[in-house]
Amino acid sequence: MKKILAVDIGNSNIVIGCFSGETLLFTFRLPTMYAEDGRALCSEIESTLSGRLTGPGELTGSIISSVVPKATRTMRQVLEQLTGKMPLVAGVSLETGINLDHYDKKTLGIDRLIDTVAAKRLYGAPSAVFDLGTATTLSIIDRNGAFRGGMIAPGVQLSLLALHEHTAKLPLLKAGPSCQLIGSDTPGCMRTGSVISTACVIDGMAERIADELRTPSIPIVLTGGLGKIVAPWCRTKIHFEPNLLLIGLQILYDMNVRKEGPRE
């Protein structure tokens, strides 16, 4: 079966997944700064793929989600070179199966929309997605599959960075697992304040979202690079899907390319 590449370009990292049909075969990630040099980016992706694919003819297409416009332009050129076809770029103009009448399309981050496409397919509607990356975002769809909005807050690592930059003595820490609820030293207190407090936000919002949508409960989906360190502290039942956005991209590719026919 032919394979496609699904590419998620975030503020900090580029995550690339290779799908055969609906099956995610493998993923790899690169720093977003790689997209500053098209040749280096192409070489890095080719090098990674060479050990996992028998040849470039296996790739039948690609799709991009990006919140970094400059990186999008570079990635489009690279993917066209690798697959021989122009990549599909995710946007609100595509068929998504999500009603956007309740939200300003011009300000909606495409990553949030794609998250809900995947959540709807996997867990139905209504559902809510917490994506823990540079920012912590909440995206909600109601029982009719309409995007209702959500929340955007500083992410776990961004919170730690802000504490360091705006205080005189707090150290610069890298986000990591928190081992205890009550910190016993300053770094421990900072990690508790960023990691466990995010879990508390998820727990608190889950009940309030259900009340707002007038439903007994709602599936809570957790994704994003920092989801794995927050998930253990959540008391609410959550569905941890680290590759949710890649899954959503594959769904969008199938919905739109199948409808339009092969892209040349």
Side-chain angles (χ1 to χ4, degrees), residues 225-261:
L226 297 173
K228 62 184 178 182
I229 66 173
V230 173
W233 291 98
C234 292
R235 292 183 174 179
T236 301
K237 179 183 177 181
I238 61 170
H239 304 279
F240 181 46
E241 293 284 353
N243 297 309
L244 187 72
L245 196 141
L246 295 180
I247 293 170
L249 282 174
Q250 186 279 323
I251 294 169
L252 284 181
Y253 185 90
D254 187 55
M255 290 174 68
N256 289 271
V257 173
R258 181 175 58 184
K259 180 177 68 174
E260 297 177 1

Side-chain angles (χ1 to χ4, degrees), residues 2-264:
K2 296 290 186 178
K3 301 175 177 64
I4 70 162
L5 294 180
V7 180
D8 169 29
I9 303 175
N11 290 297
S12 303
N13 295 288
I14 298 171
V15 182
I16 301 175
C18 182
F19 284 85
S20 176
E22 296 182 358
T23 302
L24 180 58
L25 301 177
F26 58 85
T27 67
F28 59 99
R29 65 175 54 217
L30 305 166
T32 301
M33 68 179 66
Y34 268 58
E36 295 175 3
D37 184 339
R39 290 184 179 180
L41 178 63
C42 187
S43 175
E44 192 69 25
I45 295 176
E46 279 187 317
S47 176
T48 302
L49 294 177
S50 65
R52 306 190 185 193
L53 300 177
T54 58
E58 283 188 82
L59 295 173
T60 189
S62 59
I63 182 169
I64 301 171
S65 165
S66 177
V67 296
V68 186
K70 185 177 179 181
T72 306
R73 292 190 290 271
T74 305
M75 184 61 75
R76 287 182 70 173
Q77 295 170 354
V78 168
L79 291 176
E80 183 180 9
Q81 180 176 335
L82 290 174
T83 67
K85 298 170 183 155
M86 284 293 294
L88 188 67
V89 178
V92 295
S93 62
L94 295 182
E95 174 62 39
T96 65
I98 304 294
N99 185 321
L100 296 177
D101 291 345
H102 299 277
Y103 200 87
D104 181 2
K105 298 177 185 179
K106 295 179 181 178
T107 63
L108 176 59
I110 192 61
D111 53 334
R112 298 178 65 197
L113 177 59
I114 298 168
D115 279 342
T116 58
V117 168
K120 181 182 177 184
R121 174 70 63 86
L122 296 173
Y123 303 105
S127 56
V129 179
F130 284 91
D131 195 335
L132 308 188
T134 303
T136 293
T137 64
L138 165 63
S139 304
I140 303 166
I141 53 172
D142 63 21
R143 61 171 57 88
N144 298 315
F147 189 92
R148 295 292 297 271
M151 175 190 80
I152 301 176
V156 174
Q157 184 61 58
L158 200 57
S159 297
L160 291 170
L161 178 62
L163 286 172
H164 169 69
E165 290 186 344
H166 296 280
T167 62
K169 293 186 177 181
L170 293 181
L172 177 60
L173 299 179
K174 183 176 180 180
S178 184
C179 299
Q180 52 190 1
L181 177 66
I182 301 174
S184 59
D185 55 22
T186 295
C189 289
M190 292 172 67
R191 288 196 174 94
T192 294
S194 59
V195 175
I196 302 179
S197 67
T198 300
C200 292
V201 168
I202 294 171
D203 290 336
M205 287 297 292
E207 181 178 353
R208 287 169 170 78
I209 294 166
D211 289 344
E212 182 75 12
L213 297 183
R214 299 181 180 180
T215 182
S217 62
I218 184 171
I220 301 295
V221 188
L222 182 61
T223 191
L226 297 173
K228 62 184 178 182
I229 66 173
V230 173
W233 291 98
C234 292
R235 292 183 174 179
T236 301
K237 179 183 177 181
I238 61 170
H239 304 279
F240 181 46
E241 293 284 353
N243 297 309
L244 187 72
L245 196 141
L246 295 180
I247 293 170
L249 282 174
Q250 186 279 323
I251 294 169
L252 284 181
Y253 185 90
D254 187 55
M255 290 174 68
N256 289 271
V257 173
R258 181 175 58 184
K259 180 177 68 174
E260 297 177 1
R263 298 172 65 84
E264 299 297 338

